[in-house]
Amino acid sequence: MIGFDLDLTLIDTREATAHALRTVNKELGERIDVDAFVSRLGPPIRGELRQWVPEARLDAAVAAFRATFTGTGLRYLRPCPGATDILQALSRAGGRSIVITSRRPFVARAALEATGLRAAMLVGGLTGIEKAPAMIGNGVAAYVGDHALDMLGAAAAGIPGIGVLTGAHDEAELRTAGACLVVSTLTDLLGISRL
């Protein structure tokens, strides 16, 4: 079983996230810095929104964000380079894939369906080292992600973390967080026999 992060690992969610944030700003009168928010994708949405939205309005902002992201936002989603190919290759080889993400399961499922990506399993609502028990419990042999938090989760699970440079973190940051291998895109993993 190979584990994958969702945002900026399997799916480029930047435009959909920006669209949802602009909707929150317009409909609820918030002043979220869309560019700053999108540049930090990885941590849970609620925690990130908290930087711009007062606690009293946070639930409404989260609800509006999720409704837009899983509604009109889905059309802005794109698979990251190599995502379709690596999941298909893994399945053809008799392997299984699991997506472990900070996105809520219903949001992650909608994103996977909208992009035509298929994973054997999905676990949502976990970030960083919170992902480790899901990795261990599901027999994940390696975890692929774009964020330093993904590498910390893999390290906590005692499995190899594979960094991909499709997010905001560079190779040095990913290796410092524990990545044993760093590639430019998922396409680069297709020829690696250990996957």
Side-chain angles (χ1 to χ4, degrees):
M1 178 85 73
I2 304 299
F4 294 89
D5 177 49
L6 184 75
D7 288 78
L8 302 180
T9 299
L10 289 176
I11 301 176
D12 187 337
T13 55
R14 289 174 288 204
E15 285 301 316
T17 299
H19 169 69
L21 293 170
R22 285 191 292 268
T23 299
V24 170
N25 281 345
K26 181 179 179 181
E27 292 183 355
L28 302 183
E30 302 298 345
R31 294 184 179 182
I32 300 162
D33 184 331
V34 174
D35 291 337
F37 190 109
V38 170
S39 74
R40 294 174 34 86
L41 280 181
I45 297 299
R46 176 178 290 275
E48 293 296 289
L49 283 173
R50 189 173 274 122
Q51 296 182 49
W52 288 282
V53 179
E55 197 67 34
R57 299 197 304 267
L58 190 57
D59 285 347
V62 170
F65 174 90
R66 288 183 179 147
T68 303
F69 187 93
T70 58
T72 55
L74 294 179
R75 67 176 180 252
Y76 296 101
L77 298 174
R78 300 289 178 270
C80 286
T84 301
D85 293 336
I86 198 162
L87 291 177
Q88 289 177 350
L90 188 58
S91 180
R92 281 194 305 271
R96 299 181 72 208
S97 57
I98 180 171
V99 174
I100 305 174
T101 175
S102 65
R103 296 273 185 183
R104 294 291 179 215
F106 80 94
V107 177
R109 194 170 296 110
L112 289 167
E113 289 174 2
T115 54
L117 297 176
R118 289 185 174 83
M121 296 179 67
L122 167 67
V123 178
L126 303 174
T127 304
I129 62 172
E130 294 174 351
K131 294 181 176 184
M135 294 178 197
I136 295 166
N138 288 289
V140 174
Y143 187 75
V144 184
D146 69 287
H147 202 285
L149 289 171
D150 298 326
M151 300 304 101
L152 293 173
I159 62 171
I162 300 171
V164 61
L165 298 175
T166 44
H169 291 269
D170 63 25
E171 180 169 358
E173 291 170 308
L174 292 171
R175 287 200 182 274
T176 297
C180 67
L181 174 68
V182 177
V183 296
S184 294
T185 70
L186 293 174
T187 302
D188 298 328
L189 291 179
L190 289 171
I192 298 175
S193 60
R194 65 182 160 209
L195 288 182

